[in-house]
Amino acid sequence: MPTKHASEIALFEESARANWIRIRTLIGLRWLAITGQLAAMAVGKIYFSLSLDLGLCLMVVGAGIIFNLIATFVLPENKRLDENEALSMIMFDLGQLALLLFLTGGMNNPFAVLLIAPVTISATALSTRSTIAVGGLTLLAITALTTFYVPLRTAQGFIHEMPSILLFGFWVSMGVGVIFIGLYARRVTVEMNTMSNALVATQMALAREQKLTDLGGVVAAAAHELGTPLATIKLVSAELMEELSEQPDLYDDAKLIREQSERCREILHSMGRAGKEDKHLMTAPISAVLQEAAEPHMNRGKAVNFDVSAIDDTHDIPQPHINRRPEIIHGLRNLIQNAVDFADTQVWIDVQWSDTEITLWITDDGDGFSQQVFNRIGDPFVKRRNSQPDQQKRPGYEGMGLGLFIAKTLLERSGATLRFSNGSGPTIESSTPLNRSGAIVEVSWLASKIISNKTISLGENEQFHV
């Protein structure tokens, strides 16, 4: 992956997710909660003859109504909350609910289970720090409501309370529920956001590679189409020079035209050097695709060695021409970059093919994959900063930990199967051609998946000799 600026990395940071919450969402949830609170008080008063302090209860519910009305009419409808604003609204809901429970029996009130709701919302929408703050205050409220509350009384003065052992069990279960549901929701949300961010980064990488491919095609097409007119201009100017040899001023003009046309051809040739061989636009030999993928990392102080051969040397199987797809090039480029980054001195790229399969190995002479991350290779792992060893091996590089995930995703999209191992460890595959000490990445395709059967419509521009 190329170096990322801070503004690009910020797109994937955890704190930015709070800005996704619309204030209308929390306002709607609060109206729902207020409706439920009023309904519960009405049922308790009318059907169960509970002696409730309706004045204080309605004041608490009224505070939620006033808060909602202010947010509805003052704030814009499309406003999205930042971290602090969202945390403040969730804290208000937690405090309002805790105060209402204090007036209606504390933990003896079965609706005390709703105290888990603010923690769940925080775990799915806010940062870990904010979630810990909400969870801590919720546990504090649960503990306080176990001891301090206004008892639920009937009109006859009978008090509704749970036995102490049940109250203790309810307190324990609520505390465990807050912690478990908070951790569970947080874990699932983090994994979902990580996967979502990684897929976005993959799409961005593929789109960039597609743009580069399209640009190369435009340059190659321009070189192809302008080659003949420029050659004609050069031929005509040469004939004019012969006819105007006795007229110095006109002769110099014709000579200038010839020189400028030659300069235009050189510029087009240099711009489209990689794309001038038009046969490489849509299809190319697998060795050419590997050379193109490795080109940005060929001069980084590490030797990159290529070995391209058929699997069975006794059969004359020509080198396959494969579809030159952006996902293949970019996926292989990420794998080669990773090998060059962590190699000591050398990287080997070995390719073998048969009538039914194409397999390549990218190997380095570094330390190999760490055992701590071996089982997570290919999973998205978004990180904030590089470790000290990474900074030493990759100076000036500020990655996001998505290189292998992007490579794996793009190559699997092309029909490839990837296997990761270490050259000196027990996980090395028997099909690996050379036993080298570093990391080994094996990429294999069924030949039918990537070998092109299309007729190549463009060819190499022919030279026009004067």
Side-chain angles (χ1 to χ4, degrees):
M1 292 289 293
T3 300
K4 300 286 185 183
H5 297 293
S7 59
E8 293 175 319
I9 295 178
L11 174 65
F12 301 99
E13 288 184 349
E14 179 184 54
S15 60
R17 289 200 302 270
N19 295 325
W20 299 353
I21 305 175
R22 290 194 317 134
I23 191 170
R24 292 297 175 186
T25 301
L26 293 184
I27 289 175
L29 291 175
R30 187 176 293 113
W31 282 126
L32 183 62
I34 290 171
T35 302
Q37 291 166 1
L38 291 174
M41 286 190 295
V43 171
K45 187 69 175 177
I46 296 172
Y47 290 97
F48 295 100
S49 301
L50 297 178
S51 180
L52 301 176
D53 192 337
L54 288 179
L56 291 177
C57 291
L58 290 175
M59 285 180 60
V60 175
V61 176
I65 295 175
I66 293 173
F67 192 94
N68 251 16
L69 291 174
I70 293 175
T72 301
F73 292 106
V74 174
L75 299 177
E77 186 173 350
N78 61 347
K79 177 177 175 58
R80 294 186 180 274
L81 304 175
D82 60 25
E83 176 82 9
N84 292 330
E85 291 171 339
L87 178 60
S88 299
M89 295 193 72
I90 292 175
M91 287 293 194
F92 173 84
D93 292 334
L94 176 61
Q96 191 250 8
L97 179 58
L99 185 56
L100 192 59
L101 289 172
F102 168 78
L103 296 172
T104 55
M107 295 301 291
N108 295 284
N109 190 326
F111 290 102
V113 71
L114 293 176
L115 287 170
I116 295 177
V119 180
T120 305
I121 296 174
S122 178
T124 56
L126 303 184
S127 65
T128 302
R129 182 177 60 183
S130 298
T131 301
I132 292 174
V134 175
L137 288 177
T138 302
L139 292 174
L140 183 62
I142 292 172
T143 302
L145 289 172
T146 304
T147 306
F148 305 101
Y149 56 89
V150 177
L152 283 174
R153 298 176 183 271
T154 64
Q156 294 78 24
F158 178 76
I159 298 177
H160 289 286
E161 284 187 342
M162 290 188 290
S164 58
I165 187 171
L166 292 181
L167 185 62
F168 176 76
F170 189 37
W171 172 76
V172 172
S173 65
M174 284 290 294
V176 171
V178 167
I179 297 173
F180 174 77
I181 293 179
L183 290 175
Y184 186 84
R186 187 68 192 163
R187 180 66 178 176
V188 172
T189 301
V190 167
E191 290 186 358
M192 289 177 61
N193 286 324
T194 300
M195 180 63 71
S196 176
N197 293 338
L199 290 175
V200 169
T202 303
Q203 294 296 330
M204 292 169 60
L206 183 58
R208 182 172 63 250
E209 191 66 33
Q210 184 65 57
K211 288 181 180 179
L212 292 174
T213 300
D214 295 342
L215 180 60
V218 171
V219 172
H224 183 81
E225 297 296 332
L226 294 177
T228 300
L230 289 173
T232 303
I233 293 173
K234 181 179 179 181
L235 175 62
V236 172
S237 60
E239 294 177 350
L240 288 174
M241 289 173 60
E242 294 178 0
E243 295 180 2
L244 300 173
S245 57
E246 297 180 357
Q247 303 181 45
D249 294 340
L250 296 178
Y251 177 84
D252 290 341
D253 291 340
K255 182 179 179 181
L256 180 61
I257 293 173
R258 177 186 175 91
E259 291 174 351
Q260 294 303 311
S261 65
E262 183 64 28
R263 182 185 176 191
C264 288
R265 293 186 63 184
E266 292 176 356
I267 292 174
L268 287 173
H269 178 75
S270 63
M271 290 175 60
R273 182 172 55 186
K276 189 170 184 293
E277 293 183 355
D278 296 333
K279 295 178 182 180
H280 289 189
L281 288 180
M282 302 303 296
T283 64
I286 189 169
S287 59
V289 173
L290 287 172
Q291 288 281 352
E292 181 179 356
E295 184 177 4
H297 309 291
M298 294 290 288
N299 299 314
R300 293 180 52 197
K302 312 287 178 66
V304 180
N305 309 287
F306 294 87
D307 183 8
V308 182
S309 62
I311 291 178
D312 190 350
D313 293 333
T314 61
H315 293 80
D316 186 16
I317 304 176
Q319 182 177 164
H321 282 65
I322 66 173
N323 295 315
R324 187 179 169 277
R325 297 166 58 181
E327 54 263 40
I328 294 177
I329 295 173
H330 195 82
L332 293 175
R333 183 170 295 160
N334 274 10
L335 294 178
I336 294 171
Q337 174 185 325
N338 198 68
V340 172
D341 286 341
F342 293 101
D344 289 337
T345 58
Q346 295 194 72
V347 173
W348 294 269
I349 302 175
D350 305 282
V351 185
Q352 293 185 354
W353 65 84
S354 66
D355 290 330
T356 59
E357 187 178 20
I358 298 175
T359 305
L360 65 90
W361 296 265
I362 300 174
T363 316
D364 62 73
D365 61 350
D367 297 330
F369 294 115
S370 170
Q371 293 301 319
Q372 287 80 5
V373 300
F374 200 89
N375 293 330
R376 295 187 60 191
I377 293 176
D379 289 341
F381 177 60
V382 181
K383 59 184 179 180
R384 294 179 180 271
R385 58 183 66 86
N386 288 339
S387 62
Q388 189 65 27
D390 283 357
Q391 292 176 352
Q392 294 175 356
K393 286 181 173 291
R394 313 165 96 175
Y397 180 84
E398 186 178 9
M400 295 179 60
L402 294 174
L404 286 177
F405 171 79
I406 290 176
K408 187 172 183 290
T409 301
L410 293 179
L411 291 173
E412 287 179 346
R413 180 180 295 183
S414 71
T417 300
L418 281 75
R419 287 185 287 183
F420 302 90
S421 60
N422 285 326
S424 58
T427 57
I428 184 171
E429 300 290 341
S430 60
S431 59
T432 304
L434 295 174
N435 184 9
R436 288 146 182 166
S437 62
I440 300 175
V441 181
E442 178 181 317
V443 186
S444 60
W445 293 270
L446 292 176
S448 58
K449 294 288 186 180
I450 61 170
I451 291 182
S452 174
N453 295 320
K454 297 181 180 179
T455 302
I456 300 173
S457 58
L458 298 177
E460 168 70 23
N461 294 337
E462 297 182 359
Q463 296 290 337
F464 192 97
H465 298 286
V466 178

